Amino acid sequence: MKFKLDEHLPADVADAFGPVHDVHTVSAEGLDDASDRRLLDACQAEGRALVTLDTDFANILVYPPQQFAGLIVLRPGVQTYAAMKEAAARVRQLLKSERVTNRLWIVEDRRIRVFESD
């Protein structure tokens, strides 16, 4: 699976996804401060699911999941480095049994909510 980490996530959160996943960062690709649309266009062009802290992407009316390679919104109770790495590790575990393509995952401390839209 291929992912793109949004600019507010530390680059080494990519390590939590493990070596079997291909993870790029927005910063490494010069997309810092890019518009949401430009960021999603880059994800689509590369077939990458977006991993972000930005709750704007959790709006399925604006960003219908079926139009994307995947949207993962991390919502840790506190936005510490450790909490973000833990959330990413939980995503990695769920990827063993669930697909993210065409879905929105909202990753909270105690649950992961999965949404699909028609």
Side-chain angles (χ1 to χ4, degrees):
M1 184 73 205
K2 299 190 309 185
F3 299 93
K4 188 179 298 292
L5 296 183
D6 204 355
E7 64 188 318
H8 298 293
L9 290 166
D12 59 350
V13 166
D15 297 339
F17 283 89
V20 298
H21 299 290
D22 179 4
V23 183
H24 289 185
T25 65
V26 167
S27 295
E29 295 179 354
L31 291 171
D32 289 326
D33 298 321
S35 69
D36 290 352
R37 184 76 257 164
R38 183 169 173 224
L39 179 56
L40 286 174
D41 287 346
C43 288
Q44 286 303 96
E46 300 170 25
R48 293 185 182 279
L50 176 64
V51 181
T52 184
L53 295 169
D54 188 342
T55 58
D56 289 350
F57 292 106
N59 184 339
I60 63 172
L61 298 176
V62 177
Y63 303 107
Q66 79 272 12
Q67 294 180 5
F68 303 102
L71 299 169
I72 301 173
V73 179
L74 304 181
R75 300 300 306 146
V78 293
Q79 289 187 6
T80 63
Y81 171 78
M84 288 183 246
K85 282 199 77 147
E86 171 60 28
R90 290 178 61 223
V91 166
R92 183 185 70 218
Q93 284 301 112
L94 188 59
L95 285 168
K96 293 176 182 178
S97 61
E98 293 286 332
R99 68 178 169 82
V100 70
T101 305
N102 304 123
R103 291 181 170 178
L104 163 65
W105 290 8
I106 300 177
V107 181
E108 300 169 334
D109 288 339
R110 293 195 166 105
R111 65 181 176 169
I112 297 177
R113 295 183 286 152
V114 178
F115 297 89
E116 293 181 87
S117 61
D118 298 327

